[in-house]
Amino acid sequence: MTDKPIVAIVGRPNVGKSTFVNRLLGARHSIVDDQAGVTRDRIYFDVEWMDKEFTVIDTGGIIPGDEDEIMLNIFTQAKVACEEADKIIFLVDGREGLNPIDYDIANVLRKSGKEIFLAVNKLDDPDKFINATEFYSLAVGEPFPISALHGSGGVGDLLDAVTKDFGYIEEEEKSESIRIAIVGKPNVGKSSIVNALLNKERVIVSNISGTTRDAIDSKVKYEGEEFILVDTAGIRKKSKVDWGIEKFAVDRSIRAIRNCDVAILVVDATEGITDQDKKIAGTIIDSGKAIILAINKWDLIEDKKSNTINKFESEIEKEMPFLSYAPKVFISAKTKQRLVNLYKLSKEVYSEASKRITTSLLNRVVLDAVSMNPPASIRGKRLKLFYTTQVRTNPPTFVLFINNEDFLKDNYVKYLENKLREAFGFKGTPMRISAKEKGEKK
């Protein structure tokens, strides 16, 4: 399949880039807020317009020459996006009018040598389209008056012009990719892990906690297998999350967990297991996702002995016994120690989560488990298990048909889960076991 053309959306902060992307997608994917510089990283989306497909890069607002660390990073990201893009949509604010920064950005864009389309945003009233003419002075082409918020103006004309030489992509069977969400508290090294796995700076890395605000997708191939890496915002305790931008970002991270195939929970080796790590793990399990525990910053553990990993694993077992089935890997994003193991483990746990057991084999294992350890009687009556079936995968979900649901206790369900894991593995994936009453046949 031919690679989709790439279109970068650039402009200074708060001119409506993310709103424009949301208009293209028909959904609120990018975080939109009145605060300047909300989008810090470059975010990739696939868009379809008039049976033509292309990839849009939503960039952070750029201010050339700003010495602030984050703004410098945003400017760098925007420049990289322009290098990757086939075409550029330069967004300006028609309501506010020309800004000196627009001239600086226009100068940078002209040097890129890419075809530039000037979109004058926030012109909701056709009577104000005349305001777009002042932007001719930027010398980057004819201005298109648009309203990203309402979809009015020349949005269609703009997209027609941008896509005029894009080919129609033939429909073909979609290749299966394993979607991996990199999740954890702020500042545990999630973006550094993604960058190291991609071997390029794709997301902004900074010591400032909470640098990543959007969930950012990156496609990568490893040993012939395609993966989608999703870098997410750090998930803090609810009591510490500010309303507004950060809340949107945390919501996006939780949604990324729900939409992934495998969640890699990143833990800071220098801090050990915290209550917030446990809560995030609980969210992953509740979402039914395969999970890998990645203990990052292992290079900072100075007193390494032959049993250091064993001691840390014992701490994990003590603090998070509910994750005994999850593989643990001790990594360093900085030195890339054991990083490639994440690809291999992700493939493995996704395969385990997708595993389906035949009904005959499943019943043989469950009935053997019941025979070895019959459930305790309750008021002189005992649980009877007629048969078991697997009703779905991701996560593996089983239904027990029994005589009375009141007789099935949590500890016995856990016992049966352990027996199923002993027999079939299910490494790295949670399980669901429920029960249905079934009348006895005489």
Side-chain angles (χ1 to χ4, degrees), residues 27-306:
R28 192 176 183 196
H29 286 265
S30 291
I31 295 176
V32 178
D33 195 280
D34 288 336
Q35 180 176 328
V38 172
T39 304
R40 291 175 171 179
D41 304 291
R42 61 192 198 277
I43 308 162
Y44 293 61
F45 297 108
D46 287 333
V47 173
E48 185 177 325
W49 174 254
M50 303 300 287
D51 296 325
K52 295 179 178 180
E53 290 182 329
F54 58 100
T55 298
V56 165
I57 310 177
D58 181 14
T59 65
I62 58 175
I63 302 181
D66 195 310
E67 295 302 320
D68 175 76
E69 179 189 359
I70 290 294
M71 292 311 300
L72 278 174
N73 275 318
I74 288 174
F75 187 38
T76 301
Q77 293 293 335
K79 286 202 296 185
V80 173
C82 291
E83 290 170 7
E84 288 185 82
D86 299 297
K87 299 185 180 184
I88 299 167
I89 294 178
F90 178 20
L91 213 64
V92 293
D93 189 332
R95 185 187 303 160
E96 184 181 303
L98 268 169
N99 186 296
I101 297 171
D102 294 329
Y103 286 103
D104 295 336
I105 296 173
N107 290 334
V108 172
L109 296 183
R110 276 195 299 271
K111 292 176 183 176
S112 72
K114 304 294 174 66
E115 190 173 4
I116 302 166
F117 298 83
L118 179 61
V120 184
N121 193 25
K122 303 185 183 180
L123 296 180
D124 306 332
D125 186 347
D127 292 338
K128 295 181 179 178
F129 284 2
I130 190 65
N131 295 355
T133 57
E134 68 171 314
F135 290 91
Y136 273 108
S137 62
L138 293 175
V140 291
E142 180 183 353
F144 290 83
I146 68 168
S147 170
L149 184 61
H150 298 103
S152 56
V155 173
D157 293 337
L158 171 65
L159 294 177
D160 285 342
V162 171
T163 62
K164 66 180 183 298
D165 56 355
F166 290 174
Y168 296 93
I169 298 177
E170 294 181 7
E171 197 171 328
E172 64 179 47
E173 189 174 343
K174 183 184 175 184
S175 62
E176 287 295 324
S177 303
I178 299 175
R179 191 174 187 84
I180 304 171
I182 314 292
V183 299
K185 302 179 304 181
N187 224 26
V188 293
K190 299 181 297 298
S191 295
S192 298
I193 290 171
V194 173
N195 286 340
L197 288 171
L198 294 171
N199 288 317
K200 62 179 179 179
E201 270 200 61
R202 185 35 209 286
V203 291
I204 294 172
V205 178
S206 170
N207 290 325
I208 301 172
S209 178
T211 303
T212 304
R213 286 174 169 174
D214 271 301
I216 306 167
D217 294 4
S218 304
K219 280 187 180 179
V220 64
K221 273 194 174 182
Y222 178 77
E223 293 187 346
E225 188 86 32
E226 189 174 79
F227 299 87
I228 298 175
L229 302 180
V230 185
D231 185 36
T232 64
I235 303 174
R236 293 201 295 166
K237 293 180 180 178
K238 281 186 178 180
S239 60
K240 294 185 177 180
V241 174
D242 296 328
W243 176 262
I245 299 170
E246 187 179 7
K247 184 181 185 304
F248 294 156
V250 170
D251 288 346
R252 188 69 43 77
S253 298
I254 292 172
R255 198 175 308 140
I257 291 173
R258 291 172 182 159
N259 292 335
C260 75
D261 299 311
V262 178
I264 296 179
L265 174 56
V266 182
V267 172
D268 189 329
T270 63
E271 294 183 8
I273 304 300
T274 67
D275 288 341
Q276 187 62 6
D277 294 325
K278 298 176 192 176
K279 288 177 182 176
I280 298 171
T283 299
I284 296 168
I285 294 169
D286 290 343
S287 300
K289 302 302 177 180
I291 182 172
I292 296 167
L293 200 60
I295 297 87
N296 191 29
K297 305 183 184 180
W298 196 243
D299 55 298
L300 298 181
I301 303 299
E302 296 177 357
D303 187 23
K304 288 195 186 77
K305 298 177 181 176
S306 58

Side-chain angles (χ1 to χ4, degrees), residues 262-265 290-295 313 316 323-330 341-342 344-346 348-350 352 421 426-429:
V262 178
I264 296 179
L265 174 56
I291 182 172
I292 296 167
L293 200 60
I295 297 87
E313 286 179 334
I316 295 171
L323 274 186
S324 58
Y325 59 82
K328 289 87 178 170
V329 57
F330 295 80
N341 291 355
L342 295 178
K344 297 174 183 177
L345 285 172
S346 295
E348 184 179 351
V349 298
Y350 180 63
E352 291 290 295
R421 290 189 184 279
F426 294 121
K427 177 181 179 180
T429 179

Side-chain angles (χ1 to χ4, degrees), residues 407-422:
F407 295 166
L408 184 63
K409 302 302 179 184
D410 290 344
N411 62 341
Y412 202 74
V413 172
K414 187 64 181 174
Y415 164 73
L416 292 177
E417 177 184 331
N418 290 337
K419 287 300 178 183
L420 289 174
R421 290 189 184 279
E422 284 178 16

